[in-house]
């Protein structure tokens, strides 16, 4: 993760002066956690001047990274480098505001001479979702359901700006290739961290999910369409006031399936340790019921099995994570999201094994629901 600039460039000094109306020498830069591998993010900082602060996020297309996380110039690509700037500039980040989900205020969007874009955003203080109760997660799910439900009830066409992502789930999962060849490798499944902490039968379930990937994606692409954030998880949320969510990191936003956002939110809450895996059934029930309640509150009267199918079939997003875990099982040092701290490997594999087993159950349920609803298999 990039540290604070060692010396303010003239460009950055001008930006600080414009935002804070003070000499730039007074600014302090604190690096914030983000995915350091993502090729569209040059860095994220909290910039403080006295008792005032803002968040600086620099978008780039020239960062050296892996092929998996490379930035794209294609406006429909899941990792289009400039999407988040457009989302803020065009006000799309605030379209869910009537239902209690908003975004930081855009203070400035600066096109830099080197081609990067500097987003200066409101530094929203509140209760981070990383520490929310199950009830708070369910409240956010209800607000999200209300936003999705109103659009569907009014038969409104989903937002379709030319820079919003399309086919996110298909293209994102196709890009995640690390360890894929290990899914059918006996030795990989006998590594101690895997053998001791992944549930019995998981190998067969995850190999089947990989082999049926195209079917799951086709089902997801056939479900009702809603404008989606596509990266909803607790690290991207805070609540400054009861009944309000502030959602960050709109880099993937675009077309999604009904239930897809909540299908991402639930497992990611556990995968990165914000709730223990033992509470996954409780969270899944509360968040799903909250989402459905929001849909009904806003007037959507469709078949609830479609919602459940969208959530459960979202399990296909995570077949790559099984492969990644197989590839990392021999590493003595396991790093957290952002790569700043080490995590205890046995705890990680035990917790994630529980979630992967839960997703295998989702996949089984999705197959049954799809058959009931007449999707070909």
């Amino acid at each position: 993760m990039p540290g604070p600039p060692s010396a303010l460039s003239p460009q950055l000094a001008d930006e600080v002066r414009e935002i804070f109306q003070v000499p730039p020498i007074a600014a302090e830069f604190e690096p914030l956690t983000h995915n350091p591998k993502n090729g569209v993010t040059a860095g994220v900082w909290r910039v403080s001047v006295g008792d005032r602060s803002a968040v600086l996020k620099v978008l780039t297309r020239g960062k050296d990274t892996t092929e998996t996380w490379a930035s794209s110039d294609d406006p429909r690509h899941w990792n289009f480098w400039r999407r988040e700037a457009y989302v803020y500039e065009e006000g799309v980040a605030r379209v869910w505001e009537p239902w209690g989900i908003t975004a930081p205020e855009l203070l400035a969007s600066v096109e830099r001479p080197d081609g990067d874009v500097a987003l200066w955003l409101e530094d929203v203080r509140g209760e981070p979702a990383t520490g929310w109760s199950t009830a708070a997660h369910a409240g956010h799910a209800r607000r999200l359901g209300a936003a999705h439900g109103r659009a569907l009830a009014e038969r409104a066409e989903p937002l379709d700006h030319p820079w919003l992502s399309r086919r996110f789930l298909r293209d994102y999962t196709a890009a995640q290739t690390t360890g894929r060849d290990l899914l059918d490798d006996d030795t990989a499944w006998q590594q101690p961290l895997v053998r001791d902490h992944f549930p019995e039968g998981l190998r067969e379930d995850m190999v089947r999910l990989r082999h049926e990937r195209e079917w799951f994606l086709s089902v997801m692409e056939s479900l009702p369409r809603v404008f989606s954030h596509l990266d909803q998880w607790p690290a991207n949320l805070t609540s400054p006031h009861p009944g309000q969510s502030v959602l960050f990191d709109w880099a993937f936003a675009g077309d999604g399936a009904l239930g897809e956002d909540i299908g991402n939110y639930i497992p990611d809450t556990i995968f990165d340790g914000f709730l223990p895996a033992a509470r996954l059934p409780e969270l899944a029930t509360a968040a799903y019921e909250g989402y459905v309640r929001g849909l009904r509150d806003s007037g959507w009267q469709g078949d609830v099995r479609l919602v459940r199918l969208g959530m459960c079939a979202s399990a296909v997003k995570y077949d790559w994570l099984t492969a990644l875990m197989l590839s990392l099982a021999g590493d003595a040092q396991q790093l957290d999201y952002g790569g700043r701290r080490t995590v205890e490997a046995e705890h990680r594999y035990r917790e994630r094994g529980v979630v992967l087993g839960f997703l295998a159950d989702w996949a089984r349920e999705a197959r049954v629901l799809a058959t009931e609803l007449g999707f070909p298999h």
Side-chain angles (χ1 to χ4, degrees):
M1 175 180 299
S6 56
L8 273 75
S9 67
Q11 175 66 46
L12 183 54
D14 286 344
E15 292 170 19
V16 171
R17 188 180 295 109
E18 178 67 25
I19 295 297
F20 293 100
Q21 300 296 304
V22 297
I25 194 66
E28 297 181 358
F29 291 77
E30 173 195 355
L32 299 180
T33 301
H34 65 283
N35 179 2
K37 297 177 183 177
N38 197 324
V40 308
T41 310
V44 187
W45 299 268
R46 174 174 289 114
V47 184
S48 301
V49 175
D51 60 356
R52 293 185 296 152
S53 62
V55 171
L56 168 62
K57 183 171 187 177
V58 180
L59 309 181
T60 187
R61 54 183 158 186
K63 181 177 175 180
D64 186 20
T65 188
T66 63
E67 183 178 352
T68 297
W69 289 102
S71 65
S72 174
D73 288 321
D74 177 0
R76 293 299 198 181
H77 188 273
W78 68 271
N79 214 26
F80 172 49
W81 79 277
R82 205 189 184 283
R83 178 174 297 114
E84 191 165 17
Y86 285 128
V87 169
Y88 279 106
E89 291 164 358
E90 300 297 324
V92 170
R94 290 179 172 262
V95 297
W96 292 336
E97 203 161 49
W99 299 276
I101 300 177
T102 187
E105 179 185 353
L106 177 64
L107 305 177
S109 178
V110 182
E111 302 275 353
R112 289 181 167 177
D114 61 3
D116 289 352
V117 175
L119 293 179
W120 287 88
L121 303 168
E122 172 192 9
D123 185 14
V124 179
R125 300 305 177 103
E127 182 184 0
T130 53
W132 283 2
S133 65
T134 300
H137 291 300
H140 172 70
R142 185 171 182 173
R143 292 187 283 277
L144 179 63
H148 284 167
R150 178 56 62 88
L152 290 171
E154 294 179 348
R155 301 182 184 275
E157 289 294 323
L159 293 176
D160 194 30
H161 296 284
W163 34 262
L164 289 174
S165 66
R166 304 283 289 185
R167 295 164 39 109
F168 169 80
L169 192 59
R170 177 179 295 276
D171 294 339
Y172 173 85
T173 56
Q176 313 299 319
T177 59
T178 301
R180 188 176 293 172
D181 57 332
L182 299 178
L183 283 172
D184 288 305
D185 187 304
D186 292 342
T187 303
W189 286 94
Q190 285 303 310
Q191 296 175 97
L193 284 174
V194 176
R195 181 195 63 221
D196 297 343
H197 301 298
F198 279 11
E200 185 177 355
L202 184 66
R203 176 178 179 176
E204 291 75 13
D205 288 332
M206 288 299 147
V207 168
R208 181 179 179 184
L209 187 60
R210 159 54 49 180
H211 291 165
E212 294 183 348
R213 175 176 174 270
E214 179 58 37
W215 179 82
F216 275 91
L217 292 172
S218 296
V219 167
M220 290 296 289
E221 291 167 357
S222 300
L223 289 169
R225 314 315 297 166
V226 288
F227 170 65
S228 303
H229 179 273
L230 298 172
D231 195 18
Q232 297 222 23
W233 65 308
N236 283 340
L237 272 167
T238 193
S239 180
H241 307 290
Q244 183 184 57
S245 305
V246 177
L247 191 53
F248 312 126
D249 198 353
W250 295 79
F252 299 157
D255 172 71
L258 179 65
E260 184 173 346
D261 265 344
I262 203 70
N264 182 89
Y265 189 93
I266 293 167
D268 270 9
T269 300
I270 312 297
F271 274 137
D272 286 286
F274 303 127
L275 283 177
R279 295 182 61 187
L280 176 55
E282 170 195 346
L283 172 69
T285 297
Y288 171 71
E289 290 180 351
Y291 185 70
V292 171
R293 192 172 299 118
L295 287 164
R296 295 304 195 207
D297 288 346
S298 62
W300 183 75
Q301 297 300 318
D303 190 334
V304 74
R305 291 177 299 173
L306 293 169
V307 185
R308 187 78 188 176
L309 177 57
M311 182 184 73
C312 291
S314 293
V316 72
K317 180 182 179 184
Y318 295 97
D319 81 310
W320 67 270
L321 185 58
T322 307
L324 179 65
M325 297 295 287
L326 292 173
S327 74
L328 297 177
D331 291 359
Q333 186 179 64
Q334 302 271 331
L335 298 177
D336 68 351
Y337 176 82
R340 304 177 76 177
R341 293 182 298 271
T342 58
V343 296
E344 201 274 308
E346 298 226 359
H347 177 76
R348 166 177 274 179
Y349 275 75
R350 182 168 55 250
E351 293 284 287
R352 288 190 170 183
V354 171
V355 187
L356 291 171
F358 191 88
L359 291 172
D361 290 339
W362 267 8
R364 278 189 283 273
E365 185 175 349
R367 295 181 188 104
V368 173
L369 286 166
T371 299
E372 290 179 2
L373 289 164
F375 288 85
H377 197 293

